[in-house]
Amino acid sequence: EVPAFYAWLSTQETIAALALRLLILTVARTSEVRLATEAEIEDSVWVLPPERTKTGTEHRIPLTSEAMVVIEIAKERSDTAYLFTSLRGKPLSDMAMSKLMRDHGYTARPHGFRASFRTWCEEQTNAPFEVKEACLGHAVDTGTVGAYQRSDRMIARMQLISAWNDFLLV
């Protein structure tokens, strides 16, 4: 059902719809999207500083061409450092995306798209566990493994996120 929802969402003109599109495309957390800034975008990578992540470590999110389109539209519409702002020029409310879904009769909520992505990965791909979890920003390399494994698996994550985006845009 996610591709149909994304197609519908792409017809909506609100900032909340735009933010929700980026959330679905990147499988980022709601707070990460709401507080996203133009300065965090470096080429085709969204770099979240440690203080903005649940794990307290930097998280680099690969951005597909569709995600970059959403970001460019958001940049054009925003006159603050934040990509997604309310009418008062503050970051988008933590309820804006949920309200959009609720107001249009959807029972799902934004955070659920992370579960949709993870389920899709499990059923439709052969991606390694660590890659799937790293896409979600989960800490996977701890203890001895973490001491030796220094890659953030960016290439593998970009491939997986690209496949997810292809699935969404069918």
Side-chain angles (χ1 to χ4, degrees), residues 23 28-36 46 48 52 94 97:
L23 180 141
R29 291 177 174 89
T30 306
S31 63
E32 294 167 347
V33 172
R34 286 186 328 96
L35 302 174
W46 178 13
L48 291 167
R52 292 227 315 109
D94 61 350
M97 290 181 267

Side-chain angles (χ1 to χ4, degrees), residues 15-17 19-21 23 29-31 33-34 92-102 109-110:
I15 294 297
L20 192 50
R21 285 174 63 191
L23 180 141
R29 291 177 174 89
T30 306
S31 63
V33 172
R34 286 186 328 96
L92 195 63
S93 160
D94 61 350
M95 291 304 297
M97 290 181 267
S98 291
K99 183 178 181 323
L100 170 73
M101 294 178 76
R102 185 184 66 239
R109 292 298 173 257

Side-chain angles (χ1 to χ4, degrees), residues 2-3 25 41 43 45 74 78 100 104 108 125 134 137 139 167:
V2 181
L25 292 166
I41 310 301
D43 298 318
V45 178
S78 177
L100 170 73
H104 286 88
T125 76
F167 167 73

Side-chain angles (χ1 to χ4, degrees), residues 77-93:
R77 292 186 183 179
S78 177
D79 56 359
T80 73
Y82 296 103
L83 291 176
F84 306 104
T85 56
S86 68
L87 295 175
R88 296 183 179 143
K90 294 183 178 184
L92 195 63
S93 160

Side-chain angles (χ1 to χ4, degrees), residues 6-163:
Y6 188 84
W8 170 81
L9 194 60
S10 297
T11 69
Q12 304 303 300
E13 295 292 325
T14 66
I15 294 297
L18 201 58
L20 192 50
R21 285 174 63 191
L22 187 64
L23 180 141
I24 294 169
L25 292 166
T26 62
V27 297
R29 291 177 174 89
T30 306
S31 63
E32 294 167 347
V33 172
R34 286 186 328 96
L35 302 174
T37 66
E38 186 174 344
E40 292 174 343
I41 310 301
E42 298 176 8
D43 298 318
S44 292
V45 178
W46 178 13
V47 182
L48 291 167
E51 61 273 11
R52 292 227 315 109
T53 68
K54 193 171 182 179
T55 61
T57 59
E58 181 181 275
H59 180 53
R60 297 186 319 141
I61 300 173
L63 299 169
T64 62
S65 57
E66 177 75 2
M68 290 303 296
V69 165
V70 170
I71 289 167
E72 288 305 316
I73 295 169
K75 284 180 185 179
E76 290 171 9
R77 292 186 183 179
S78 177
D79 56 359
T80 73
Y82 296 103
L83 291 176
F84 306 104
T85 56
S86 68
L87 295 175
R88 296 183 179 143
K90 294 183 178 184
L92 195 63
S93 160
D94 61 350
M95 291 304 297
M97 290 181 267
S98 291
K99 183 178 181 323
L100 170 73
M101 294 178 76
R102 185 184 66 239
D103 288 354
H104 286 88
Y106 293 98
T107 56
R109 292 298 173 257
H111 193 76
F113 290 109
R114 291 168 54 83
S116 296
F117 166 79
R118 189 59 176 82
T119 302
W120 172 85
C121 286
E122 202 63 35
E123 294 179 354
Q124 302 296 321
T125 76
N126 293 320
F129 171 82
E130 294 82 4
V131 174
K132 295 180 276 197
E133 291 297 299
C135 283
L136 294 168
H138 293 163
V140 292
D141 298 313
T142 58
T144 304
V145 172
Y148 289 92
Q149 199 319 83
R150 308 259 169 92
S151 170
D152 67 357
R153 300 175 175 89
M154 181 57 94
I155 294 169
R157 288 189 299 120
M158 182 56 164
Q159 292 169 344
L160 186 55
I161 288 293
S162 291

